[in-house]
Amino acid sequence: MTTTRLAIVAVTVIAFARVAWVTAGLMRTWLRGGALIAARWGWIEALNIPEPLVLAGVTYAPAAQGLPPGPSSALATTAAVLGAVLAFGGLGLSLWAFLSLPSVGGGHYVLQGQPIVERGVYGWRRHPLDAAAFRIWLAVALA
């Protein structure tokens, strides 16, 4: 398998993993229901709901068509490898966010006794999962 093909496969797998964990996060928040002190589901949150479905569609289309055959140009290989690096960075940022705040789910909410999280990745960035999503989307575009 060429470097380009391997990088594209890595980006595709990470993009599909994002779809799975966003869907799981939304289900987790929905199932909590009564444990939420405050929850906000306004228009901006509603705009984010289709994101995993769009990502799945955008990623599935090229995956279903198959990987590019044969050798690639240097530019295509560089873009695919850069995409893979960004995707792994987004994956790492997501994992760090989940380790920093194990109760993370989908949407904006406050749990009973939940303190403001200032440790781990949340000490560096207030919305690390959004930054991770941006990296993964950019990785898909590059790959």
Side-chain angles (χ1 to χ4, degrees):
M1 184 176 281
T2 67
T3 303
T4 306
R5 293 168 65 93
L6 187 61
I8 291 171
V9 168
V11 170
T12 302
V13 169
I14 291 170
F16 280 128
R18 171 163 172 72
V19 170
W21 75 65
V22 169
T23 304
L26 287 170
M27 292 301 297
R28 181 181 193 183
T29 301
W30 181 67
L31 291 172
R32 282 185 176 137
L36 304 178
I37 294 173
R40 185 180 83 188
W41 285 94
W43 68 272
I44 197 70
E45 290 80 15
L47 286 176
N48 286 311
I49 290 174
E51 187 262 337
L53 298 173
V54 173
L55 182 60
V58 165
T59 307
Y60 177 76
Q65 293 172 358
L67 295 172
S72 300
S73 68
L75 182 60
T77 300
T78 302
V81 169
L82 183 57
V85 168
L86 281 170
F88 278 110
L91 176 64
L93 194 56
S94 296
L95 292 173
W96 190 14
F98 283 116
L99 292 173
S100 299
L101 180 60
S103 66
V104 72
H108 292 104
Y109 58 88
V110 177
L111 293 171
Q112 196 82 286
Q114 179 179 355
I116 293 177
V117 180
E118 297 178 321
R119 67 185 187 292
V121 72
Y122 288 92
W124 291 85
R125 165 165 241 118
R126 186 64 354 215
H127 301 287
L129 293 173
D130 292 343
F134 178 77
R135 286 175 188 230
I136 292 170
W137 270 100
L138 186 56
V140 168
L142 283 169

